[in-house]
Amino acid sequence: MPEAPEVERVREVLAARVEGATLEGIRMVGRRLVRRHDPELLATVSGRPIVSMRRIGKFLVFDLGTDALVVHLGMAGRLVVSDASATATHVQLVLDFRRAVITLVDPRTFSEAFVDVLGTDGRPRRLAGLGPDVFGPEEEIAASLERHAARSRRAIKTALLDQRVVAGLGNMYADETLFRVGVHPSTPMNVLGRRLVAIAEAAGDVAREALAAGGTTFADRAYRDPLDRPGAFGARLAVYQRAGSPCPRCATSIVRRVLQGRSAHWCPRCQQGGG
Ligand SMILES: [Zn+2]
């Protein structure tokens, strides 16, 4: 699943092409998208200029001034810059600009696209509940973790995946974050104390390093940037999808278990404890 670093990379590539450009047309193609969202509302953004292109957590925001077109890539969605003649399969949404066509392609159809009014904080209203961004100031992330940790025995891994606690992390970078600080993924939040600050720092570090490497592309090539370029951070993952491989720090075999419905990867020696 694309997480904040991949989505930020997508934003960078698209911003250079769409900021200031007029959205000439928009077509919702995916049946699930059409069922879940209002194509007529979506059509209201046609003919309007894109003021800026932002990312909030894992959401891409095509800012139109008073409202915005918001896209979430779901599990395996991709935004692709293509020429008009390109014939892609699994197309969900097509955005026509004079100089580019941007297509949302998603074989698993979990992507979302909707139009939303901007609130007084300048964010689309449906995104108002998101926590501090993983690329934002680490004090804000730490403060949010501490606030949610109070009296909470919730596993730290689960909290890191909760977009209201910190926006932008998914399974992969949450596992990498916890490896860096030597914290077992099922450790209850309320015993972590000052280690929450280290976790906040590590989350930001992992996100920035992943972005600098262009994100993570696995063998399934599910993630590629809008110009079809893969990310190179996969080679630097310490634990995620490395079950059975040696820990880069101590050579113990990395383990994978399902914790509260999500796969978690950790080093049983470097990350002891848990709940
Ligand atoms: Zn280890």
Side-chain angles (χ1 to χ4, degrees):
M1 176 200 269
E3 303 182 22
E6 288 77 27
V7 178
E8 177 61 18
R9 175 63 164 225
V10 171
R11 187 202 67 77
E12 289 175 353
V13 174
L14 294 185
R17 286 162 178 79
V18 308
E19 280 184 348
T22 297
L23 179 56
E24 311 262 336
I26 179 166
R27 278 172 287 149
M28 200 184 256
V29 183
R31 244 179 281 158
R32 183 173 174 277
L33 264 189
V34 171
R35 202 165 58 234
R36 287 173 51 82
H37 302 289
D38 182 358
E40 282 182 30
L41 182 61
L42 210 60
T44 62
V45 301
S46 194
R48 296 171 58 191
I50 306 295
V51 176
S52 70
M53 177 112 207
R54 293 187 282 158
R55 179 194 54 79
I56 301 176
K58 297 184 212 169
F59 293 87
L60 281 161
V61 179
F62 295 77
D63 201 325
L64 299 156
T66 53
D67 53 5
L69 169 66
V70 182
V71 175
H72 189 282
L73 298 173
M75 297 296 289
R78 294 186 56 220
L79 280 164
V80 181
V81 175
S82 56
D83 60 66
S85 63
T87 50
T89 51
H90 307 300
V91 170
Q92 307 296 324
L93 182 73
V94 181
L95 305 176
D96 290 309
F97 294 89
R98 191 168 306 164
R99 297 207 196 153
V101 175
I102 295 169
T103 309
L104 173 61
V105 178
D106 185 1
R108 296 187 62 183
T109 73
F110 289 117
S111 299
E112 304 285 354
F114 55 90
V115 175
D116 198 6
V117 176
L118 300 183
T120 48
D121 61 353
R123 291 175 160 216
R125 283 197 185 146
R126 278 179 58 180
L127 308 188
L130 293 178
D133 195 90
V134 69
F135 281 103
E138 61 200 31
E139 312 83 71
E140 289 181 15
I141 302 170
S144 179
L145 286 172
E146 283 165 351
R147 206 163 46 243
H148 284 87
R151 295 183 301 279
S152 171
R153 293 201 47 83
R154 179 149 75 139
I156 182 62
K157 170 74 186 286
T158 309
L160 290 178
L161 295 179
D162 183 343
Q163 302 299 299
R164 295 167 298 183
V165 178
V166 49
L169 284 180
N171 218 20
M172 173 166 56
Y173 297 128
D175 280 353
E176 293 298 308
T177 295
L178 293 174
F179 171 76
R180 290 208 182 182
V181 290
V183 170
H184 190 285
S186 65
T187 309
M189 287 188 91
N190 65 345
V191 305
L192 283 165
R194 294 295 295 168
R195 280 191 290 173
L196 292 170
V197 176
I199 291 169
E201 279 176 23
D205 288 346
V206 167
R208 280 182 288 274
E209 289 169 31
L211 173 60
T216 300
T217 300
F218 290 105
D220 64 5
R221 292 178 49 80
Y223 169 75
R224 279 159 286 149
D225 83 1
L227 299 176
D228 210 33
R229 297 173 297 200
F233 194 71
R236 290 164 59 190
L237 293 173
V239 290
Y240 187 77
Q241 289 206 355
R242 293 195 68 247
S245 299
C247 167
R249 211 175 276 159
C250 75
T252 302
S253 284
I254 301 299
V255 297
R256 172 191 181 277
R257 299 243 171 81
V258 174
L259 293 180
Q260 294 179 319
R262 302 294 302 272
S263 68
H265 309 74
W266 70 92
C267 170
R269 185 159 174 207
C270 296
Q271 297 168 263
Q272 291 186 9

